[in-house]
Amino acid sequence: RICSHIVSDSALQTPAVLAHGRIVVLGGDNHRIHEEVIVAGGILKEGRFVRMSVGDTKAAFSAATGQAAPDFVQDHLAGLWPRYRDQLLAALEARMTERTKNLEKFLVERAESEVAKIVAILTELERVIKKELTDQAPIQLAFDWTPDEKAQRDRDLNALRRRLEEIPSEIQRESEHLRSRFRNPTARLFPIAVTYLVPERAIMELQGGRP
């Protein structure tokens, strides 16, 4: 997908080209743990591509109007495409690498947040089972159970005791599984669009040079 937008001369002095890409971050178990759209680009100065910083890229893109550049301008820029195609893609890949590195702390925090949730759930289950076993002890002694009722009651209580015994190891197992999911993240890049930003003065210059 390719489009163009006119920007004011105060925003850009020369045309710029931006590449948009979708990054998908996979965790240690190849489970998708993050996804977002990134953008990178540079100005086209005398036919050369000069990469812009993240801040300059955002500012230039924010200055884009809803008005498309004239066809002759788009044709001119498209003709230069072979000169800066590889550099533009390299800028997008570099932005992906930067963004993935910046996400590392966020992903560690997210992993610990997920661990805290599962620990809280299983700890609450542990509390409920202990209370159930404690509350049922007097009842077990108070009633004259039939053999079948007593057998069923014993099976139910034994099942609760087994579940209670399993909880500590389950907490450990689930915690490690969640941490491993967010460990050693890898990112994949999917380019999705190219946007040209053309200042008004560049349109006038190109128009003046037309035969």
Side-chain angles (χ1 to χ4, degrees):
R1 180 184 174 187
I2 301 175
C3 63
S4 67
H5 297 283
I6 295 176
V7 298
S8 66
D9 293 339
S10 61
L12 286 173
Q13 297 297 307
T14 61
V17 59
L18 310 180
H20 308 262
R22 181 170 64 95
I23 59 172
V24 176
V25 181
L26 304 178
D29 60 354
N30 285 327
H31 179 83
R32 183 172 60 185
I33 55 178
H34 184 76
E35 182 176 351
E36 68 177 78
V37 174
I38 59 172
V39 60
I43 60 173
L44 301 176
K45 190 173 183 179
E46 298 177 354
R48 295 183 298 109
F49 178 89
V50 181
R51 185 183 173 188
M52 294 190 294
S53 67
V54 174
D56 289 343
T57 300
K58 289 181 178 179
F61 188 62
S62 297
T65 67
Q67 184 177 0
D71 290 343
F72 73 89
V73 174
Q74 297 187 57
D75 292 342
H76 172 76
L77 294 173
L80 301 175
W81 173 252
R83 299 186 187 182
Y84 54 79
R85 175 185 56 202
D86 293 342
Q87 292 171 293
L88 179 60
L89 182 57
L92 190 62
E93 291 175 340
R95 177 59 186 144
M96 176 193 68
T97 301
E98 293 169 0
R99 182 59 183 144
T100 303
K101 185 174 181 60
N102 292 337
L103 281 170
E104 289 180 359
K105 182 180 178 181
F106 164 76
L107 293 175
V108 169
E109 292 174 348
R110 184 175 166 191
E112 292 307 313
S113 175
E114 294 293 328
V115 168
K117 289 178 183 177
I118 195 66
V119 169
I121 291 171
L122 292 174
T123 300
E124 174 62 14
L125 176 61
E126 184 179 47
R127 186 193 66 80
V128 170
I129 292 176
K130 285 181 177 178
K131 185 176 184 302
E132 178 71 11
L133 290 172
T134 301
D135 292 345
Q136 292 303 320
I139 298 176
Q140 184 80 355
L141 299 174
F143 287 87
D144 185 16
W145 304 91
T146 66
D148 288 343
E149 289 173 336
K150 187 177 184 304
Q152 182 60 54
R153 189 63 184 168
D154 288 341
R155 285 194 294 270
D156 293 342
L157 292 175
N158 287 334
L160 286 175
R161 293 187 186 101
R162 286 194 300 271
R163 186 68 185 96
L164 186 63
E165 292 174 355
E166 294 170 353
I167 289 177
S169 60
E170 185 175 357
I171 288 176
Q172 183 177 0
R173 184 173 62 254
E174 290 298 322
S175 297
E176 176 55 30
H177 173 71
L178 287 169
R179 290 190 176 105
S180 66
R181 171 174 292 178
F182 289 88
R183 192 178 297 141
N184 300 323
T186 57
R188 295 181 181 178
L189 175 65
F190 302 90
I192 53 178
V194 172
T195 300
Y196 290 103
L197 302 176
V198 186
E200 296 169 342
R201 65 188 299 171
I203 295 175
M204 299 299 293
E205 290 172 0
L206 289 171
Q207 192 170 29
R210 296 177 70 195

